Amino acid sequence: METPGHLIENAGLLILGLLVYPYVGRWLPSHRPERRLLRQLVLGLLFGAITMIMMIERIEIRDGLFIDARWVPVALVGLFEGTPAGLLAAAVGAAYRLWLGGAGMLPGLGSLLLTGLAAGLAHRWAGGGERVSWRHTLALSVVVYLIVVGAYLSAGAHGTRLLGHVWWMLLLTFFLGITLVGGVLRDQVERERLLEERARVMKELGEMTSSRDGAEGARHAARMHDLDEKLRQLRDVMRGAPPKEEK
């Protein structure tokens, strides 16, 4: 049994997703509708690959008893990028589960697809990835947990026995994976939004060269200062630094 090693591998996969996410955001900004579908495709495939690897690197909690966190990346990408990305990530994992075959295949397929759909609905409920809050991540954690519990129960007596051993581990996995990691992703999405707005304001400010644009330029400069302050505060939060009191 190599539980610590597998836990580290699964955590590393989520960290990989967190590291790649902002780079995709720079290449495919969320505020450009013409690139929205491509962004969802790229991130859906990325988190789908993480889902599949998590299924391969499953966690052995006791001799011969395994669980994995396949539903976490599906839930995260669907929550922050919408239904297409969530269902695409789920489809990648479902394709691998279909290839494996065996007992419990249909409940496994259904739980992945339902997770992608639930995450997409949570995205719409939040009003977009930039508006996701702790209540959305927590609610989605509960919904995904219920979906997975239903999948175990629908697998018959064997699935019910397994659930009796792993229910608490699944609950902890979804809480840490969706609620806490989702909080980190939320900060990254907010930082991306602020940087996009800052770039837009800077461009508009640079175009104001005549004296008649003086008042408007002053407003843009004040907006730039406000955005810089918000970015500084967000950077402090992401680094875990205590907030600075304003004088």
Side-chain angles (χ1 to χ4, degrees):
M1 183 170 64
E2 301 179 1
T3 301
H6 289 148
L7 284 172
I8 293 173
E9 289 173 357
N10 278 258
L13 289 170
L14 287 178
I15 292 173
L16 175 63
L18 291 175
L19 292 175
V20 175
Y21 193 92
Y23 289 98
V24 175
R26 294 176 189 174
W27 177 43
L28 299 169
S30 59
H31 72 287
R32 295 186 180 179
E34 70 277 7
R35 293 194 174 184
R36 178 64 178 166
L37 187 58
L38 181 58
R39 177 189 172 102
Q40 291 176 324
L41 175 64
V42 171
L43 288 171
L45 289 175
L46 169 66
F47 280 76
I50 293 175
T51 300
M52 185 174 66
I53 297 172
M54 281 187 168
M55 296 169 70
I56 297 172
E57 298 296 331
R58 54 188 182 169
I59 303 168
E60 187 177 9
I61 60 175
R62 64 167 62 176
D63 293 339
L65 188 60
F66 297 89
I67 66 169
D68 59 69
R70 71 185 75 173
W71 303 274
V72 172
V74 173
L76 288 173
V77 74
L79 177 60
F80 286 95
E81 297 299 327
T83 305
L87 288 179
L88 179 56
V92 173
Y96 178 70
R97 184 65 186 88
L98 184 63
W99 179 78
L100 289 177
M105 181 184 69
L106 290 180
L109 297 177
S111 64
L112 279 170
L113 295 174
L114 284 175
T115 296
L117 181 60
L121 291 175
H123 176 85
R124 294 187 63 182
W125 171 38
E130 67 279 0
R131 296 184 179 179
V132 170
S133 68
W134 66 268
R135 62 179 179 142
H136 301 111
T137 56
L138 183 59
L140 183 59
S141 300
V142 174
V143 171
V144 173
Y145 180 71
L146 293 176
I147 289 173
V148 175
V149 167
Y152 271 87
L153 294 177
S154 66
H158 178 65
T160 302
R161 285 196 301 271
L162 286 178
L163 181 62
H165 293 290
V166 304
W167 67 268
W168 63 272
M169 192 70 172
L170 289 171
L171 185 62
L172 182 62
T173 298
F174 295 146
F175 175 75
L176 294 176
I178 299 176
T179 303
L180 297 186
V181 177
V184 178
L185 268 181
R186 182 186 64 243
D187 289 340
Q188 290 189 349
V189 170
E190 175 64 8
R191 181 175 182 272
E192 179 185 333
R193 185 190 68 81
L194 290 173
L195 287 173
E196 290 171 0
E197 186 174 355
R198 186 181 187 279
R200 178 183 59 80
V201 173
M202 182 177 289
K203 180 180 178 181
E204 293 177 355
L205 187 60
E207 293 173 350
M208 296 176 183
T209 56
S210 61
S211 58
R212 56 188 173 87
D213 291 326
E216 188 69 19
R219 284 194 292 269
H220 279 67
R223 181 58 180 157
M224 279 284 293
H225 176 76
D226 182 55
L227 289 171
D228 287 339
E229 181 63 20
K230 287 183 178 180
L231 282 167
R232 183 192 62 78
Q233 293 175 357
L234 183 60
R235 183 175 63 250
D236 289 343
V237 169
M238 296 176 72
R239 290 177 177 176
K244 298 180 179 179
E245 296 183 0
E246 294 184 2
K247 296 182 179 180

Coordinates of all heavy atoms in Angstrom, one line a residue, residues 85-123:
A85 N -16.8 22.9 -21.1 CA -15.5 22.4 -20.5 C -15.7 21.3 -19.5 O -14.9 20.3 -19.5 CB -14.8 23.6 -19.9
G86 N -16.7 21.4 -18.7 CA -17.0 20.3 -17.7 C -17.3 19.0 -18.3 O -16.8 17.9 -18.0
L87 N -18.2 19.1 -19.4 CA -18.6 17.8 -20.0 C -17.5 17.2 -20.9 O -17.4 16.0 -21.0 CB -19.8 18.1 -20.9 CG -21.1 18.3 -20.2 CD1 -22.3 18.6 -21.2 CD2 -21.5 17.1 -19.3
L88 N -16.6 18.1 -21.4 CA -15.5 17.6 -22.2 C -14.5 16.8 -21.3 O -14.0 15.7 -21.6 CB -14.8 18.7 -22.9 CG -13.5 18.3 -23.7 CD1 -13.9 17.3 -24.8 CD2 -12.9 19.6 -24.4
A89 N -14.2 17.4 -20.1 CA -13.3 16.8 -19.2 C -13.9 15.5 -18.7 O -13.3 14.4 -18.6 CB -13.1 17.7 -18.0
A90 N -15.3 15.5 -18.4 CA -16.0 14.3 -18.0 C -15.9 13.2 -19.1 O -15.7 12.0 -18.8 CB -17.4 14.6 -17.7
A91 N -16.0 13.6 -20.4 CA -16.0 12.7 -21.5 C -14.7 12.0 -21.6 O -14.6 10.8 -22.0 CB -16.4 13.4 -22.8
V92 N -13.6 12.7 -21.4 CA -12.3 12.1 -21.4 C -12.1 11.0 -20.4 O -11.7 9.9 -20.7 CB -11.2 13.2 -21.2 CG1 -9.8 12.5 -21.1 CG2 -11.2 14.2 -22.4
G93 N -12.5 11.4 -19.1 CA -12.5 10.4 -18.1 C -13.4 9.2 -18.4 O -13.1 8.0 -18.1
A94 N -14.6 9.5 -18.9 CA -15.6 8.4 -19.2 C -15.1 7.5 -20.3 O -15.3 6.3 -20.3 CB -16.9 9.1 -19.6
A95 N -14.4 8.1 -21.3 CA -13.8 7.2 -22.4 C -12.8 6.3 -21.8 O -12.8 5.1 -22.2 CB -13.2 8.1 -23.4
Y96 N -12.0 6.7 -20.9 CA -11.0 5.8 -20.2 C -11.7 4.8 -19.4 O -11.4 3.6 -19.4 CB -10.1 6.6 -19.4 CG -9.1 5.7 -18.7 CD1 -8.0 5.1 -19.4 CD2 -9.1 5.5 -17.3 CE1 -7.1 4.3 -18.7 CE2 -8.2 4.7 -16.6 CZ -7.2 4.1 -17.3 OH -6.3 3.3 -16.7
R97 N -12.8 5.1 -18.7 CA -13.5 4.2 -17.9 C -14.2 3.2 -18.8 O -14.3 2.0 -18.4 CB -14.6 4.9 -17.0 CG -15.4 4.0 -16.1 CD -14.4 3.4 -15.0 NE -15.1 2.4 -14.2 CZ -15.2 1.1 -14.5 NH1 -14.7 0.7 -15.6 NH2 -15.8 0.3 -13.7
L98 N -14.7 3.6 -19.9 CA -15.4 2.7 -20.9 C -14.4 1.7 -21.4 O -14.7 0.5 -21.6 CB -16.0 3.5 -22.0 CG -16.8 2.7 -23.1 CD1 -18.0 2.1 -22.4 CD2 -17.2 3.7 -24.2
W99 N -13.1 2.2 -21.7 CA -12.1 1.3 -22.1 C -11.7 0.2 -21.1 O -11.4 -0.9 -21.4 CB -10.9 2.1 -22.5 CG -9.7 1.3 -23.0 CD1 -9.6 0.7 -24.3 CD2 -8.5 1.0 -22.3 NE1 -8.4 0.1 -24.3 CE2 -7.7 0.2 -23.1 CE3 -8.1 1.3 -21.0 CZ2 -6.5 -0.3 -22.7 CZ3 -6.8 0.8 -20.6 CH2 -6.0 0.0 -21.5
L100 N -11.7 0.6 -19.8 CA -11.4 -0.3 -18.8 C -12.5 -1.4 -18.7 O -12.2 -2.6 -18.4 CB -11.3 0.4 -17.4 CG -10.1 1.3 -17.2 CD1 -10.2 2.0 -15.8 CD2 -8.8 0.5 -17.3
G101 N -13.8 -1.0 -18.8 CA -14.9 -2.0 -18.7 C -15.0 -2.5 -17.3 O -14.6 -1.8 -16.3
G102 N -15.6 -3.6 -17.1 CA -15.7 -4.3 -15.8 C -17.0 -3.8 -15.0 O -17.8 -3.0 -15.5
A103 N -17.1 -4.3 -13.8 CA -18.2 -4.0 -12.9 C -18.2 -2.6 -12.6 O -17.2 -2.0 -12.4 CB -18.1 -4.9 -11.7
G104 N -19.4 -2.0 -12.4 CA -19.5 -0.6 -12.0 C -19.2 0.4 -13.1 O -19.1 1.6 -12.8
M105 N -19.1 -0.1 -14.4 CA -18.8 0.8 -15.5 C -19.9 1.9 -15.7 O -19.6 3.1 -15.8 CB -18.5 0.1 -16.8 CG -18.1 1.0 -17.9 SD -18.0 0.0 -19.5 CE -19.7 -0.4 -19.8
L106 N -21.1 1.5 -15.8 CA -22.2 2.4 -16.1 C -22.4 3.5 -15.0 O -22.5 4.7 -15.3 CB -23.5 1.6 -16.3 CG -23.6 0.8 -17.6 CD1 -24.9 0.1 -17.7 CD2 -23.3 1.7 -18.8
P107 N -22.4 3.1 -13.7 CA -22.4 4.1 -12.6 C -21.2 5.1 -12.7 O -21.4 6.3 -12.4 CB -22.4 3.3 -11.3 CG -23.0 2.0 -11.7 CD -22.5 1.7 -13.1
G108 N -20.0 4.5 -13.0 CA -18.9 5.4 -13.1 C -19.0 6.4 -14.3 O -18.6 7.6 -14.1
L109 N -19.5 5.9 -15.4 CA -19.7 6.8 -16.5 C -20.7 7.9 -16.2 O -20.5 9.1 -16.4 CB -20.2 6.1 -17.8 CG -19.2 5.0 -18.4 CD1 -19.9 4.3 -19.5 CD2 -17.9 5.7 -18.8
G110 N -21.8 7.5 -15.6 CA -22.9 8.4 -15.3 C -22.5 9.5 -14.3 O -22.8 10.6 -14.4
S111 N -21.7 9.0 -13.3 CA -21.3 10.0 -12.2 C -20.4 11.1 -12.8 O -20.4 12.2 -12.4 CB -20.6 9.2 -11.1 OG -19.4 8.6 -11.5
L112 N -19.5 10.7 -13.7 CA -18.6 11.7 -14.3 C -19.4 12.7 -15.1 O -19.2 13.9 -15.0 CB -17.6 11.0 -15.2 CG -16.4 10.4 -14.5 CD1 -15.6 9.5 -15.5 CD2 -15.5 11.5 -13.9
L113 N -20.3 12.2 -16.0 CA -21.1 13.1 -16.8 C -22.0 14.0 -16.0 O -22.2 15.2 -16.3 CB -21.9 12.3 -17.8 CG -21.0 11.5 -18.9 CD1 -21.9 10.7 -19.8 CD2 -20.2 12.5 -19.7
L114 N -22.6 13.4 -14.9 CA -23.5 14.2 -14.1 C -22.7 15.3 -13.3 O -23.2 16.4 -13.1 CB -24.2 13.3 -13.1 CG -25.4 12.5 -13.6 CD1 -25.9 11.6 -12.6 CD2 -26.5 13.4 -14.2
T115 N -21.4 15.0 -13.0 CA -20.6 16.0 -12.3 C -20.3 17.1 -13.2 O -20.3 18.3 -12.8 CB -19.3 15.3 -11.8 OG1 -19.6 14.3 -10.8 CG2 -18.3 16.3 -11.2
G116 N -20.0 16.8 -14.5 CA -19.7 17.9 -15.5 C -20.9 18.8 -15.7 O -20.8 20.0 -15.8
L117 N -22.1 18.1 -15.7 CA -23.3 18.9 -15.9 C -23.6 19.7 -14.7 O -24.0 20.9 -14.8 CB -24.5 17.9 -16.2 CG -25.9 18.6 -16.4 CD1 -25.8 19.5 -17.6 CD2 -26.9 17.5 -16.6
A118 N -23.5 19.2 -13.5 CA -23.7 19.9 -12.2 C -22.8 21.1 -12.1 O -23.2 22.2 -11.7 CB -23.6 19.0 -11.0
A119 N -21.5 20.9 -12.5 CA -20.6 22.0 -12.4 C -20.9 23.1 -13.4 O -20.8 24.3 -13.1 CB -19.2 21.5 -12.7
G120 N -21.4 22.7 -14.6 CA -21.8 23.8 -15.5 C -23.0 24.5 -15.0 O -23.1 25.8 -15.2
L121 N -24.0 23.9 -14.4 CA -25.1 24.6 -13.8 C -24.7 25.5 -12.7 O -25.2 26.6 -12.5 CB -26.1 23.5 -13.3 CG -26.8 22.7 -14.4 CD1 -27.7 21.6 -13.7 CD2 -27.7 23.6 -15.3
A122 N -23.7 25.0 -11.9 CA -23.2 25.9 -10.8 C -22.5 27.1 -11.4 O -22.5 28.2 -10.8 CB -22.2 25.1 -9.9
H123 N -21.8 27.0 -12.5 CA -21.2 28.1 -13.2 C -22.3 29.1 -13.6 O -22.1 30.3 -13.5 CB -20.5 27.6 -14.5 CG -19.9 28.6 -15.4 ND1 -18.6 29.2 -15.1 CD2 -20.4 29.3 -16.5 CE1 -18.4 30.1 -16.1 NE2 -19.4 30.2 -16.9

